[in-house]
Amino acid sequence: MFVTASFVGVTSLVCIIFFALVRPLAIYVWDPKDLRRFPSASAWGIPGWAGWSNFWLARAILKQAKSHSVLHAHEKYGPIVRIQPDHLSFSDGEAAKTIYGFQSRMPKGKFYESIGDEDAHGHILKNLVTTDDREEHQRKRKYVSNAFALKKILTLEPAITRRTGHLIKCLDNQREALQADNGQLDLYRWINYFLYDTSAELTFGETLGLCDKGNDVLDTLPFDGSPSCQFEGIETFQSAGSYISLFSPWPSLAQKLRKLTSWHRDASKGKKFAEAVHLYLQQRLKRGDTSEFRDFVSYLLRDSHQKPRDLEYAELLGETFVIFGSAIDLVASVATNAMYHLIKNPECMRKLREELDDALGDTLVPTNDQICRLPYLRAVFDEATRDRPPIAHGLARTVPEGGATISGHFIKAGTTVSVSAFALHHDASIFPEPWAFRPERWLDANADPLWRECLVPFSLGPRACTGRNLTFTLIPLVMATLVRRYDFELPSPDWEMEWREPLNMSPISLPVKMKIRNLKANEAKGIDS
Ligand code: HEM
């Protein structure tokens, strides 16, 4: 028994050393894809580190600073940098169009396999985001294309405004708690509670009540029939992301590495989150459809002629997980970032309030129609996504058979290529003063049209975000409501919000003091009573 265990251990170690060190080094020297002509990112003075080892990227991921590290590599080495032995990162808008645009034939890279889970037979489960198969993608995309069409999103507006009004009511009620806790409240958490509730209502037809509870405790329905347990949604989602992304530099080893580290405290967190989605989905299936409201799950269950799609349960759960989760984590990051910069820059806040007060009169929770054409509100949204695109890292794609020319360089088939939205958005030659929050840059009639093309928070082409219409409705609406209802104060004038990048880029917290503004809107059309 002991001999078998040590044999397995030694064999695993030898395999890991071979795949993680020896093989990449040999490939670097052999250079079959002719990649040595490009500079390799480095650190700690190790020459060409990222060119012959995946540990440069693994180190950046471990520090939760993948996108910052790639940005710094571009600043140091130029617009094309090797960030893994077989991975080139580009930082220009033309490359983004070639790699992701509608003309591109580049499938998703191996990275997506590394973040997927295995089924009972050892096959990696693919969802709409992770599948690299064109036909499978088209089939899955068809399920949700109607659900996310603008016409449909507009029908969700009453639910979104109702949830926004309820958020305001709950925040108003927090005033007593605020007195107790140094007068501060973590706005990032509250935006999350609001989005959990809203996403649950849009996805399953029923809210979770987190704004009422004032916490992010979720229940599970364990897959193995064990008793239900509770966990904190925000922390669990992010720890799960940081655990799976840790092994992403070695996609072919990722599943094995996960098994070897299954003792790690974050190893079961993704499953825990999936078990919560499983609970809400089961409850939804038991409730059945309602005639008044068509939730996202109903689009996965039936087509537009009401014909059942008969998806296997694992697929139904996987797609539901993507929709439910995307409408929380990514949206919370952008909305929080916009609020932070507005509070930090009183002149931006003043301009936005002026625009909103003129347009909205005494309406506190506006309709999409009232705010969708407000230029300054849109400019704040664009600047917040430029400053911190939540999917900040480069979305890996594989160069197909026959190779491809990217930014004037011929790249051989099989090479992984990507453009990091974060690096592109902070390229000073494209966006002057990239670290300054300046919504005005989007309003300048003489602005370089290149800027618009280089703003890619939702990616481009056939694999771009399906949830854009929902995001364009949700974030401006909650932003407009919050800035009109409250005056905010940061812990100190020089306080700066900190970020981490477990998988996506997220703020850590946004502690603020809040006061209800002295405004006509306090008579409050739209606050839930
Ligand atoms: C600020 C908010 C959001 C941002 C920045 C964002 C960004 C992105 C990006 C960059 C992709 C491409 C991912 C890749 O190629 O790997 C993507 C895909 C996707 N997003 Fe979003 N997203 C946001 C909100 C949402 C929302 C609210 C939903 C739905 C409720 C959603 C659903 C999806 C889906 C289903 C895909 C896969 C599309 C496909 O491959 O066909 N996203 N998103």
Side-chain angles (χ1 to χ4, degrees):
M1 185 75 179
F2 173 73
V3 173
T4 318
S6 28
F7 177 73
V8 172
V10 170
T11 314
S12 305
L13 199 66
V14 170
C15 286
I16 289 170
I17 292 173
F18 176 77
F19 281 104
L21 286 173
V22 181
R23 190 169 175 273
L25 200 56
I27 291 175
Y28 179 79
V29 176
W30 178 30
D31 200 20
K33 294 199 182 107
D34 192 18
L35 296 178
R36 271 215 308 267
R37 66 197 145 130
F38 300 110
S40 297
S42 195
W44 295 336
I46 303 174
W49 195 11
W52 53 266
S53 160
N54 284 306
F55 281 102
W56 178 83
L57 192 64
R59 171 182 169 271
I61 292 172
L62 195 62
K63 283 170 43 188
Q64 301 210 356
K66 180 175 175 181
S67 302
H68 275 93
S69 303
V70 171
L71 166 66
H72 293 147
H74 279 295
E75 285 170 348
K76 190 162 174 193
Y77 301 105
I80 309 177
V81 183
R82 199 169 174 185
I83 57 169
Q84 284 182 272
D86 71 340
H87 186 166
L88 291 178
S89 171
F90 291 79
S91 179
D92 78 83
E94 252 336 282
K97 266 199 250 166
T98 314
I99 295 172
Y100 305 110
F102 281 101
Q103 306 305 323
S104 165
R105 290 183 303 110
M106 299 192 197
K108 291 210 163 182
K110 294 253 178 285
F111 163 83
Y112 293 87
E113 270 179 32
S114 75
I115 60 170
D117 288 320
E118 275 182 355
D119 66 10
H121 312 289
H123 300 132
I124 307 225
L125 293 164
K126 301 278 177 75
N127 58 39
L128 182 55
V129 174
T130 58
T131 183
D132 56 352
D133 182 273
R134 199 177 259 246
E135 276 175 27
E136 189 183 29
H137 174 253
Q138 280 171 356
R139 174 177 67 81
K140 286 174 179 288
R141 184 108 178 184
K142 221 193 280 167
Y143 301 158
V144 294
S145 54
N146 282 344
F148 290 107
L150 185 59
K151 218 166 95 194
K152 162 68 187 169
I153 296 301
L154 294 178
T155 69
L156 303 177
E157 195 183 308
I160 298 173
T161 42
R162 192 172 59 251
R163 294 262 58 86
T164 312
H166 192 69
L167 168 70
I168 297 300
K169 183 188 163 201
C170 294
L171 284 174
D172 283 0
N173 289 345
Q174 282 294 308
R175 272 174 300 168
E176 274 179 31
L178 281 182
Q179 304 302 327
D181 187 16
N182 186 27
Q184 283 181 9
L185 160 156
D186 183 352
L187 194 57
Y188 173 60
R189 291 192 78 80
W190 276 89
I191 289 176
N192 264 282
Y193 303 158
F194 159 74
L195 289 166
Y196 269 93
D197 285 349
T198 308
S199 181
E201 183 158 347
L202 304 185
T203 310
F204 306 106
E206 208 161 275
T207 171
L208 301 179
L210 299 197
C211 282
D212 291 310
K213 292 192 292 185
N215 66 44
D216 60 337
V217 174
L218 308 180
D219 294 303
T220 62
L221 178 62
F223 296 124
D224 62 4
S226 56
S228 169
C229 66
Q230 294 192 319
F231 65 93
E232 290 178 350
I234 302 170
E235 195 280 324
T236 302
F237 191 83
Q238 300 204 346
S239 302
S242 96
Y243 175 74
I244 57 170
S245 66
L246 200 54
F247 307 123
S248 61
W250 300 279
S252 52
L253 291 178
Q255 300 297 335
K256 287 191 186 67
L257 290 168
R258 283 207 225 173
K259 278 182 195 141
L260 279 173
T261 55
S262 57
W263 45 266
H264 192 276
R265 72 189 152 89
D266 291 340
S268 60
K269 294 207 168 150
K271 185 164 159 237
K272 204 153 266 177
F273 208 90
E275 288 177 338
V277 179
H278 175 47
L279 171 67
Y280 309 139
L281 184 56
Q282 284 296 323
Q283 291 171 339
R284 160 66 179 81
L285 296 175
K286 273 198 198 109
R287 278 197 304 275
D289 291 342
T290 56
S291 50
E292 315 86 69
F293 181 72
R294 193 160 179 204
D295 57 27
F296 292 146
V297 166
S298 72
Y299 287 85
L300 296 170
L301 295 175
R302 271 177 304 285
D303 69 12
S304 51
H305 306 292
Q306 296 302 307
K307 205 169 135 236
R309 296 194 195 275
D310 293 329
L311 300 186
E312 279 189 20
Y313 186 73
E315 182 172 21
L316 178 64
L317 182 65
E319 302 309 331
T320 307
F321 187 108
V322 167
I323 294 172
F324 175 65
S326 305
I328 300 169
D329 186 52
L330 306 172
V331 179
S333 289
V334 174
T336 306
N337 194 33
M339 291 305 299
Y340 163 67
H341 282 293
L342 287 168
I343 302 167
K344 187 95 180 154
N345 298 282
E347 186 52 19
C348 297
M349 182 68 103
R350 188 194 61 74
K351 285 186 191 169
L352 180 59
R353 280 184 172 154
E354 206 171 276
E355 182 179 80
L356 290 169
D357 288 347
D358 277 356
L360 301 181
D362 63 354
T363 305
L364 184 63
V365 184
T367 60
N368 185 57
D369 214 34
Q370 283 175 299
I371 56 171
C372 67
R373 274 175 287 277
L374 297 181
Y376 201 76
L377 181 63
R378 176 59 197 256
V380 171
F381 173 87
D382 285 343
E383 185 66 348
T385 55
R386 183 198 65 79
D387 177 59
R388 285 294 190 287
I391 304 187
H393 60 261
L395 306 165
R397 300 291 187 264
T398 305
V399 175
E401 273 311 296
T405 300
I406 308 174
S407 300
H409 298 269
F410 182 76
I411 310 295
K412 289 192 183 173
T415 309
T416 301
V417 289
S418 64
V419 174
S420 152
F422 188 68
L424 191 58
H425 293 181
H426 290 87
D427 183 335
S429 68
I430 303 170
F431 296 102
E433 293 181 74
W435 296 103
F437 187 80
R438 288 207 294 109
E440 291 72 18
R441 71 172 91 232
W442 301 104
L443 301 170
D444 179 356
N446 302 319
D448 187 340
L450 187 67
W451 289 4
R452 276 264 160 230
E453 287 182 21
C454 291
L455 182 71
V456 291
F458 297 98
S459 190
L460 301 169
R463 301 304 296 263
C465 179
T466 23
R468 272 170 303 181
N469 290 328
L470 178 59
T471 309
F472 286 131
T473 307
L474 259 175
I475 295 182
L477 209 140
V478 75
M479 236 161 69
T481 308
L482 285 172
V483 303
R484 294 191 81 228
R485 180 67 172 172
Y486 303 106
D487 280 320
F488 299 91
E489 205 184 301
L490 295 173
S492 67
D494 54 358
W495 186 87
E496 294 199 350
M497 191 159 73
E498 288 181 39
W499 292 80
R500 58 181 163 176
E501 194 179 8
L503 178 58
N504 303 323
M505 210 182 253
S506 320
I508 292 174
S509 69
L510 178 55
V512 289
K513 287 186 183 165
M514 291 166 52
K515 259 196 337 230
I516 295 181
R517 281 177 78 212
N518 187 9
L519 188 83
K520 256 210 317 192
N522 286 345
E523 284 111 60
K525 278 192 193 163
I527 296 195
D528 195 3
S529 55

